[in-house]
Amino acid sequence: MTNTPTAAPVSPAGAADPSRWLRVHHPRASAAARLVCFPHAGGTANAFTALSAALPEDVELLAVQYPGRQDRRGEPCAQDLSELASGVAQALAGYDDRPLFLLGHSMGALVAFETARLLEERGTVARLFVSAARPPAQDWQEPDLSLVGDEELTAGLRRLGGIPEPLLADPEIAAEILRLLRADHRALLRHRCAPDTRVAAPVTVLLASADPKNSLEQMADWARHTAGGHEVAALSGGHFSLLERPGESAPPLTRRIREDLARPAAAASGAAAASAAPDAEPLADLVRELMMEGLAGRTPRLSTDLTALEAAAGEVMAPEAFAYVSGTAGSGATGRANRTAFDRRQLLPRMLRGTRRTDTSVTLFGQRLPAPVLLAPLAAQQVAHPEGESATARAAAATGVPMVVSTFASRTLEEVAGAAGDHPRWFQLYLPSDRAVGESLVRRAEASGYGAIVVTVDATHLGFRPAELDSGYSPFLRGTGIANFTGDPAFRAGLPADADATQAVLRWAQISTDPTLTWEDLAWLRGLTRLPLLVKGVLHPDDARLALEHGADGVVVSTHGGRQLDGGVSSLDALPAVRAAVGADVPVLMDSGVRTGSDVVKALALGADAVLYGRPYVYGLGLDGQRGVEHVLRCLLTDLGLALALTGCASLADVGPHLLANGDRR
């Protein structure tokens, strides 16, 4: 596309003629990893010259040269993208001595994806980066450029950016650019990919904030195309930000590459430590891992202080989204009381109990869980991160923590189940006033493998939440958090055939909750399903008894995170009386105010069988997507295991009121 000389072809021993396909702009013989870069439609290997220079010495960039351009101009352009992928995969045959990271920009992302599929048998792809590109099974809505005139096409290129004006002003160069662009677009239009096609490697999506061709919502479906996890990283600038701002693009790429390279080393370090101390607590692996990273000069992306995440998330989340997640009812008295209740109680540890191992597992409704922690049902998680509940579900599965999925999720319960795989999950139900919709939600949860129904009873009226009211912000009225309704056949049956998004939102607002609910409605729900049924939002011991009388199998002591009744009792203070009311054999969970592993121990000491963990994981989601949620949960579980060991408890069976100092047991 330009008159800039191409880099020298590279040809390692044993490769199948890689000199046709690969260019090295800045050779780095001692590099720890290689980044293979695939250009956009009409692009050449030279597109990555600046990015190559911006990368550090431990990452070597290999730029792919497609046929039909520059020193390959005598060859015909590829007829389809699989032809390009096959050529690159063969050329990379001699590059298995170091980890390979693939990066594709725009159309190049599809070529990189197909190349990763071909390379999987060799196990050589560490991660796939995709820039400014919709998922492979999605309709890219690209026009047939053979029907677009030169002037119109050139004007479009100017609007999109990425090509210096002097090149477009040169008739000969401009003609060459348009020739390549049309040829590559023909191959792009022929490309087909099934919705369930996946690569094993994790995928990082690079999305520029002002890209006119792609949006965060469109990028979400990349999660369907990887079995290794999916994340979105933001760049500033437009469609060609990756190439035009190499100084900004190189650091996030380098950081992610180094993190992936460090994982095997960290695992090896953990294995060595375990062999030296075979009885060490496995959950303490995180502590050892972070210390080993520190020796290499690397610190965690997020703080390990789980109480500090709220302030950090407030710096990066949109103000109205942060207000929605963090806000509480009225003056915030109930929210403060939830934390004060934990701070007021003190643990009284016992020493020399031989607790080199701690067993954090618990059995709920016949299922053994690795820890007494489940993710609380928080609605509309897409306000925190574009992947929303899908990212949370993958993080929950990776850490062994079951997720309770909200009725008001921004992903359908089927989508979240797909992201969770075989991992345990529960479904939280706001019982709609339209009982046909309520029954349909329950049937869908049963069909999608959810293991329990958690019906919330403390939000039949929306609490008075100043942070939301002052910003005039409701995600639901903007269409986020109602996916389980708009995708429900019973809900759709109540809409006109030609209903638009506004009509769907209005119907949701009319039927999504029911202020007329009574205990008889719980009995109706009990007759609807054989799944374990829990009632969430119980604080009074008499309500706990009534829940059991009307068919509940367990209760969740909850203040809704302080978001409903201002000035109410804290969950932890209400917990002992609820436990006494239902007896020792009924599962009792609690939420609201839980932040640390020691908090979990205090809740268990006062009678809880497990806790639902809420806002901190959503702050992690907002800060770093799936990785952020995983970080929060690993920190919590590590803290919990160590808190048990440090109080002298070998298992949860050892936890009881005796762990609390005098005066703290009520």
Side-chain angles (χ1 to χ4, degrees):
M1 287 173 52
T2 75
N3 292 324
T4 306
T6 59
V10 60
S11 181
D17 194 16
S19 62
R20 293 175 56 217
W21 291 92
L22 304 175
R23 307 289 180 267
V24 177
H25 299 294
H26 302 90
R28 290 166 178 148
S30 60
R34 292 188 175 100
L35 179 65
V36 184
C37 294
F38 298 73
H40 51 283
T44 73
N46 283 354
F48 299 102
T49 303
L51 180 60
S52 176
L55 291 172
E57 289 299 315
D58 57 351
V59 180
E60 183 179 66
L61 187 147
L62 307 182
V64 172
Q65 185 76 299
Y66 301 146
R69 61 214 70 203
Q70 291 185 330
D71 56 342
R72 300 188 68 183
R73 197 181 191 284
E75 303 175 42
C77 292
Q79 296 297 306
D80 56 64
L81 302 190
S82 60
E83 177 184 336
L84 296 175
S86 177
V88 179
Q90 292 179 48
L92 289 171
Y95 289 89
D96 54 4
D97 58 328
R98 293 169 234 177
L100 285 178
F101 293 79
L102 308 189
L103 185 157
H105 178 66
S106 196
M107 182 198 80
L110 300 185
V111 185
F113 176 80
E114 295 298 337
T115 304
R117 293 178 61 200
L118 295 174
L119 293 175
E120 280 186 349
E121 292 183 4
R122 306 208 304 257
T124 55
V125 179
R127 178 171 292 272
L128 172 64
F129 294 95
V130 293
S131 167
R134 298 187 191 183
Q138 202 173 99
D139 181 1
W140 279 37
Q141 300 177 337
E142 292 286 338
D144 184 347
L145 297 189
S146 66
L147 305 177
V148 180
D150 287 359
E151 290 187 6
E152 182 182 351
L153 186 52
T154 302
L157 292 176
R158 285 193 171 98
R159 288 192 298 270
L160 198 60
I163 302 177
E165 179 57 32
L167 300 183
L168 289 177
D170 185 308
E172 184 178 344
I173 296 176
E176 177 67 0
I177 291 172
L178 298 185
R179 179 185 74 84
L180 293 175
L181 187 61
R182 288 190 170 105
D184 289 347
H185 263 256
R186 285 194 293 271
L188 174 62
L189 292 175
R190 293 189 184 100
H191 184 66
R192 297 291 183 271
C193 179
D196 59 349
T197 304
R198 300 197 298 176
V199 293
V203 173
T204 295
V205 177
L206 304 173
L207 179 64
S209 58
D211 187 345
K213 297 189 68 173
N214 302 292
S215 68
L216 284 173
E217 184 177 5
Q218 292 164 339
M219 296 304 101
D221 274 353
W222 270 106
R224 299 176 183 271
H225 295 287
T226 172
H230 157 253
E231 63 187 8
V232 177
L235 301 175
S236 61
H239 185 72
F240 285 96
S241 175
L242 174 77
L243 308 179
E244 294 176 328
R245 301 168 182 252
E248 295 180 17
S249 303
L253 290 169
T254 303
R255 182 170 58 247
R256 202 65 185 88
I257 289 170
R258 285 174 171 171
E259 288 175 358
D260 287 344
L261 291 175
R263 280 200 174 89
S269 299
S275 65
D279 293 329
E281 164 54 42
L283 288 175
D285 282 349
L286 176 63
V287 175
R288 289 191 293 273
E289 178 184 318
L290 294 180
M291 292 302 179
M292 295 298 297
E293 289 284 289
L295 288 175
R298 293 184 287 267
T299 57
R301 291 166 62 90
L302 305 183
S303 174
T304 57
D305 179 357
L306 299 178
T307 66
L309 296 177
E310 180 174 355
E315 295 293 323
V316 301
M317 291 176 62
E320 65 275 10
F322 180 72
Y324 170 75
V325 174
S326 64
T328 55
S331 67
T334 305
R336 292 191 299 273
N338 284 324
R339 280 304 307 152
T340 300
F342 281 103
D343 293 339
R344 191 174 68 244
R345 291 173 169 85
Q346 296 178 317
L347 293 169
L348 187 61
R350 299 298 302 275
M351 299 296 120
L352 301 180
R353 296 300 182 99
T355 53
R356 287 192 292 178
R357 287 182 179 273
T358 55
D359 179 8
T360 61
S361 64
V362 63
T363 299
L364 290 175
F365 304 111
Q367 187 165 43
R368 195 72 168 169
L369 305 179
V373 177
L374 299 89
L375 294 188
L378 273 73
Q381 292 181 26
Q382 195 171 353
V383 304
H385 189 274
E387 295 183 80
E389 292 81 2
S390 294
T392 298
R394 292 194 299 272
T399 52
V401 176
M403 179 182 183
V404 185
V405 180
S406 174
T407 297
F408 297 156
S410 47
R411 294 282 188 271
T412 67
L413 60 91
E414 290 85 2
E415 288 178 291
V416 180
D422 295 332
H423 191 65
R425 53 194 175 270
W426 296 358
F427 181 67
Q428 177 268 341
L429 176 68
Y430 287 106
L431 194 58
S433 58
D434 186 330
R435 290 295 182 268
V437 176
E439 180 173 355
S440 180
L441 288 169
V442 171
R443 297 298 180 224
R444 288 167 58 197
E446 292 173 331
S448 298
Y450 288 80
I453 301 294
V454 182
V455 58
T456 295
V457 297
D458 61 356
T460 54
H461 299 271
L462 186 66
F464 190 83
R465 305 172 188 172
E468 295 176 40
L469 297 173
D470 289 352
S471 65
Y473 178 73
S474 166
F476 311 108
L477 298 184
R478 289 165 170 79
T480 298
I482 65 172
N484 278 321
F485 289 82
T486 56
D488 188 272
F491 179 84
R492 300 295 303 181
L495 288 171
D498 59 348
D500 59 16
T502 299
Q503 289 172 292
V505 168
L506 291 175
R507 172 158 165 75
W508 172 87
Q510 291 170 346
I511 65 101
S512 57
T513 59
D514 187 355
T516 70
L517 286 180
T518 69
W519 290 111
E520 295 306 319
D521 294 297
L522 180 64
W524 173 82
L525 182 60
R526 172 70 286 169
L528 197 62
T529 180
R530 294 183 179 181
L531 288 176
L533 180 64
L534 295 92
V535 173
K536 181 178 181 293
V538 169
L539 293 166
H540 197 290
D542 287 347
D543 284 340
R545 296 186 187 96
L546 285 167
L548 299 183
E549 290 174 11
H550 289 83
D553 299 297
V555 296
V556 182
V557 180
S558 171
T559 68
H560 213 98
R563 294 167 66 82
Q564 285 299 99
L565 176 64
D566 188 30
V569 64
S570 75
S571 291
L572 196 67
D573 286 331
L575 176 59
V578 171
R579 167 54 74 193
V582 301
D585 297 331
V586 173
V588 174
L589 288 75
M590 70 85 60
D591 66 27
S592 304
V594 182
R595 294 293 180 268
T596 69
S598 293
D599 290 342
V600 178
V601 174
K602 292 174 184 178
L604 301 181
L606 288 173
D609 293 296
V611 303
L612 300 183
Y613 196 62
R615 286 187 179 95
Y617 82 79
V618 179
Y619 296 142
L621 179 67
L623 288 164
D624 200 16
Q626 177 183 337
R627 285 188 298 168
V629 179
E630 288 186 29
H631 171 83
V632 169
L633 295 180
R634 291 190 71 197
C635 288
L636 178 70
L637 297 179
T638 299
D639 191 20
L640 170 60
L642 292 172
L644 286 176
L646 292 171
T647 52
C649 299
S651 70
L652 301 187
D654 297 330
V655 178
H658 63 278
L659 288 184
L660 300 174
N662 290 335
D664 294 335
R665 301 174 186 176
R666 291 181 295 107

